[in-house]
Amino acid sequence: MLPSSKDRAAQEYPRHPFVLPLDEIYQILGTNSETGLVPIKAQGAQGQYGPNKLDGEGGVQWYSVLLKQISNAMTLVLVLAMALSYGVTDYIEGGVITAVIVLNVVIGFYQEFQAEKKMDSLRSLSSPSAAVLRDGYIQTIPSGEVVPGDIVQIKTGDTIPADLRLFDAMNLECDEKILTGEAVPVAKDAKAQFSNEEEQVTGVGDRFNMAYSSSTVTKGRGLGVVVFTAMYTEIGKIAESMQRKSRKANRSLSAKKHGALQPAKGATLRIWDGIGKFLGLTVGTPLQRKLSKLAYVLFGCAILLAIIVFGVNRFHVTNEVAIYAISTGIAIIPESLIAVLTITMVVGMTQMRKRRVVIRQLSALEALGGVSSICSDKTGTLTQGRMITRKAWLPGVGVYTVAGVDDAADPTSGIVSLGPAPVIDQNIKNGDDEKGEQFDRKRSVAGVKFEMPAETNKHQDQQANFDEKKLDGGSTEPVEVTPELESFLESTALCNLATVRHDQAKSEWRTVGDPTEIALQVFAHRFSRGKKTLEEQHGWTQLAEYPFDSAIKRMSVVYQSGSSDNAIIVFTKGAVERVIDLCSTIGVGAHEQPITHATKSEVLSQMTLLADQGLRVMAIARRAAPLGFQSSPPNNEIPREAVEKDLNLLGLVGLYDPPRLETKDAVKNCTTAGIKVHMLTGDHPSTATAIAREVGILPRNPAAALPSTVASSIVQTASEFDALSDADIDALPTLPLVIARCAPATKTRMISALHRRRAFCAMTGDGVNDAPSLQAADVGIAMGMAGSDVAKGAADIVLTDDNFASIVNAIEEGRRMFDNIQKFILHLLVSNVAEVILLIVGLGFQDEDGFSVFPLSPLQILWINMLTSSFPAFGLGREKAGPDVMRRPPHDVKRGVFTLQILADMAVYGIIMGTCTLLTFVIIIYGPGQGDLGRDCNRSYSEQCETVFRARASVFAELTWLILVSAWEFKSLRRSLFHLDPRTLPSRFPRFFKDVWENRFLFFAVVVGAASVFPAVYIPGLNTSVFKHAGIGWEWGLSVGAVFVFVLGVEGWKLVKRRYGLFAEGELVRDDEGGKEGISLRQGFWSFAKVVSWSRSIESPVGGEGEGKV
C-alpha cells in the first residue's frame, strides 16, 4: 500500500539541485546516468515517496455522487409518494417507500461510486507517460510511477512528469507559462552552472538546467534525473491555485467591468448553472444529459397523471384518491434507469481496455458506434512500425540491398549485397517477362512474405532472399566501405536520435527510438559506423540540431569532425521532394556533379522505383557548415534556412515497414460496417499507394476497378488537396482514400470536408501538431505507444498498441454498447407504458363509494420497477455483440438511442403488455367476481375485497413474468427469440435454450425473478398488508397463458417489421453500397491475386488461370 501524503518521505537536499553537481545528486539518489535505477530501488522509492500525484488531483468526491443520487428525478418522485403516504396515514406503505428510497440511494451511491473510481483508474492508463531508464532499459511508465532518481528521456511534445535536473539537452525548449506566466518557451542548457548562486536569487524561469513538472517540451530533446515529485515539485507548491475552476462566460458579478445589470445577470446564470448541475441537466455525457431530461419529462408526466386521477374524482382528494395518484406517479418512472446506464458504461470501458483501447471521455463510448469514416496514419498503425533498411541507392555506385533479415534490430542479421542501379523497365510494369512476373508475384497478396510469421517460414524467406538478390543482380561478396558509402553512413548514423546496443547478458540487440531512425542506425551498424562508434572512436562532436518538423519533413544536425582538419559538417535527411530542392550537387568524390534537370530526373526515377516496391524513401545529404559554426564559440542560433541549403545529395534509402497481419481483415470489417477508411500519411505517394493496395484500401488497378472520375481522385498529395478550394473538394465524386505527404493542416481540412458530407469521422494522431485535428474530429484517437502527451491530452480515446485493428474493435464495442443501451431502455420503458395503461384505464373500476380501485398497488409497482426490471436490464447491458453488429451502417448520432423503431416498439409492446394484464384483471373481477370491487380495497384487506386482492395478485404475477420474458425477447429488436443467430439453421428448441443460457447473468435474473413471485404472493402479512394482494389458485392459468399471448404478440410484431421492412433503413450494408457518397468502394475486398492471374493468363492461356487464385 502506498503511503498517504502525510506519510511520504521528505525530498530534501543540502542545497537546491539546480546548484548541486550532478555527481552529488546521483550519490544522494542512488542512481547513475548510464543505467538508471534498478527495479528494486525504484519499487522502494515508490513506497518511500508515494505516487507522483498532486494532493486532491483527480478522484471522485463521494459527496458529489451522493448528491447526484438524491437529486435524481426518480428519487424525487418517490419522495413525493412517501410524503403522500404518510399524509394519508398509510404508515406501512410510507415506511416501505422510505426503505426503498434509502435502499435505492445507498445501492445507487455504491454502484456509481465504484464505477467512477474504476473509470478514474482506466483514464489514468491514458494519462501522461514517461520514458525512464531503469536497469539499462528504456521503459514507458505512467507519470504517477516516476520516483526521485529516475533518468527520464524527454522530447518534443512530451509533458514533463516531474522536476528534472538536466544532464543532456539538444535544442531543448520548454513551455513554462504554467509556472512563470511567460508565453515564450525557455531554452534549456544542461551545462549551465549555478554553484555560486542562491536559490532565492535565481528565479524558477532562470534555472536553465532544470525542467519542471507539467511543463511541455516545445522543441528538442533531453535527459534528466528526477529530483522532485508530487507536492515537492514547483507545480506542487502552487497546486491549490492550479486546481481552481474557472467560471463560464457572463457569470461575473462585477458592475464596474460589465455594467450595472451584470450582477443580476451573473447571479441568475450562476443559479441556473447550480440548478442544472444539481438536476444533472448540464453535466455528464450527451446520453446522460438526454436521459436526465427524459427523467424530468416523465416527472412532469407523473404530476400530470396525478392531476388526471384527481380530475376523474372531481378533485375530491381523499386518502384513497391520493394513494391512486401515488400509484400512477410511480408507474411512469423507471427508477433504475440511471444506475443501469452508469454500470453499462463502466462495463463498456472495461471491455474496451481488454481490447487495447483506453477511453478518456465517456462521450466517446456513445460516439464510436456512429463513426462512418476513419482517417488513419500508416506507419505503426496500418503497418507494424518495425522498419528495415532494404535498399540504399548511391549515385554512381549502385544499390545496396539487405536480404535475409530475421531481426530488425540485429545488425548482424541478413546479407548486404551491392548491385548496379536499376532502370525503370516497362517489362516490370506490363508483366511481360519473367523478371516482372517475379516482382509482381512477390508483392501480391498471394505471395507476400510478411503475411506469415518469420520463424515458421524460414525456408521460404531464404528462398525469397535468394530470388531478390538474383532479381537485383547483387553480389554475395562482402561489401567494401568506399568513400561514397562512408559519407552516406556518417550522415545516416549522426543525423539520428536512435540508439542500438548489444545486451551482453541477454545476448540480444536492444534499440531505442523512432522505427525509421532505428532502421537507419542498424544499417550503419552493419558497417561498424554506428553513432556511438563515430562519436567515441572517430571524434565526431555534435554542435547543433534542427529537429524533424512535420511541416517541412526533414531533420539536420551539425557535427565537428575529429580528424585533423576539424571540419564542421551539416548532415540532413528527409523526404526526397523536400531535400532534393535544397541540393546543388550530387555524389561524392569522382562521382560528384552539379544537379541538373537530367540528374534530378534520375533521382526521382530511382525514388519512384523504390516507392513502387512499397518502400519508404528518404534522401540523405550533407554540406560544409556555414561560417557561423566556425567561430569560437560556435554560433548555434543560425536560422535553419541558412543551414539547409546548397546540400550535396549522398543517396536515397528505401525502408520497408510491412503491414500488420490483421489490417486487411480490419479494413474488410470497416466496409461491411459501412465505414470508409482513408490513409493520411507523410510518405511518398507511391509508397503510400503500394501499402494501401496491400491492405485493401485501394484496388490493385484503380482504372479497371473504378470509374475514371473516381480513380483519378482517390490518391492525392497534400499539396494537390490543399490547392483545391472547398467547392472543388465538395465537387469530387469521392474524397481521397490516400493523401500522401500529409501535413497536420491537411488533416484538419480533411475533417472539414468529411463533415460537409455529413460524415462522422475518427482521426488518428500522435504528434504535437496533430492536436488540432484530434480535437476537430468527432472521435480523436491518439497513439499510446508512439503518441506525444499533447496528442493524448487532445484525444477522446488512446490505443495502447497503436493498431488500426484496435480502432475497429473499439467501434464494434461502441456499437455493442449502443445496442444494449437501446435494449434496456426499451425494456424499462415498456413496463412503464404497460403500468400507466393499466392504471389509467383502471380509473374506471370504481367501488361502492365511487372511488377508483387500482389494479396494481404502489408497492407492487415499486417491486416490479426496482427489482423485477432492474436485474434483467443489467443483464441486457452485458449482452454480447449481435452477429450483424458490423454488417450495418453506423447509427444516426443526432437521433441517438431514441430511434423511430424504439419509440414504435415501446408503444406496441407496452400496449400488448398493458392489454394482457388489463384483460386478466377484468376476467377475474367481472367473471367469477361478478363485478364486485368491494369497499376501501385500496387501503386494507377484507373479505369483501377478496376478489380484488386475488385479481391484483394475478396481475402482479403476470406483469412480472411478461417483463422478465420481454428481456429475453429484447435480446434482438428484429430477430425471433427462437432464431437469434441468422447464421444457424431455423430454430430448434435446444438452440433457444443455448441462446438464453449464453448470457448467464440475464438468465438467472429472469429465472430468480420469476420464482420470486411465489413468496411475494403467498407469505402471510406481506401479501395482504404490504402488496395488497392475496394468494391465488386457478388464476395462475391466466397469468401463464398471458405469457404465451405476449410472446406471440412480440414475435408477430417482429415478423411484421421483417416482412414489410419497417424501420429497416440501413439495417445491413448492401454489397454494392459505397457509403453515403453512392460510389462502390469495396475496400478490403479487392483481390490482388486476380491481377496476377490476369497477367499469367496472357502469357499461358492454357491452365494458367487457376494458378493465381488464393
Side-chain angles (χ1 to χ4, degrees), residues 46-63:
Q46 187 79 17
Q48 181 181 4
Y49 299 113
N52 180 30
K53 293 182 179 179
L54 302 180
D55 290 347
E57 185 181 65
V60 59
Q61 305 298 330
W62 66 269
Y63 50 82

Side-chain angles (χ1 to χ4, degrees), residues 159-310:
T159 299
I160 298 174
D163 284 3
L164 309 178
R165 169 65 192 276
L166 300 171
F167 60 84
D168 182 28
M170 180 54 63
N171 290 350
L172 182 63
E173 293 185 3
C174 299
D175 181 356
E176 297 178 350
K177 62 176 175 286
I178 193 173
L179 289 171
T180 64
E182 294 293 333
V184 179
V186 179
K188 297 299 180 179
D189 180 7
K191 297 179 181 178
Q193 298 292 328
F194 298 96
S195 56
N196 297 323
E197 300 286 346
E198 293 295 331
E199 180 180 352
Q200 293 77 11
V201 175
T202 307
V204 171
D206 296 326
R207 301 170 186 174
F208 303 123
N209 59 4
M210 294 287 295
Y212 296 104
S213 175
S214 299
S215 60
T216 305
V217 180
T218 60
K219 179 181 176 183
R221 56 186 173 83
L223 287 167
V225 56
V226 175
V227 291
F228 293 119
T229 61
M231 297 304 291
Y232 287 90
T233 61
E234 292 296 329
I235 195 67
K237 296 176 183 177
I238 54 174
E240 186 175 354
S241 63
M242 286 298 298
Q243 290 172 357
R244 290 178 186 167
K245 296 181 179 179
S246 58
R247 290 194 179 276
K248 296 180 181 179
N250 297 321
R251 268 61 175 181
S252 174
L253 300 180
S254 173
K256 290 183 178 181
K257 293 182 179 179
H258 305 285
L261 296 178
Q262 183 60 36
K265 181 180 177 182
T268 303
L269 291 174
R270 287 189 186 187
I271 293 172
W272 171 251
D273 289 341
I275 294 174
K277 184 177 180 181
F278 179 78
L279 298 179
L281 298 175
T282 58
V283 294
T285 72
L287 178 59
Q288 288 173 328
R289 293 196 297 269
K290 188 175 291 186
L291 291 180
S292 292
K293 292 176 183 176
L294 171 67
Y296 290 103
V297 168
L298 295 178
F299 178 69
C301 292
I303 295 176
L304 179 62
L305 290 175
I307 294 173
I308 291 174
V309 172
F310 295 150

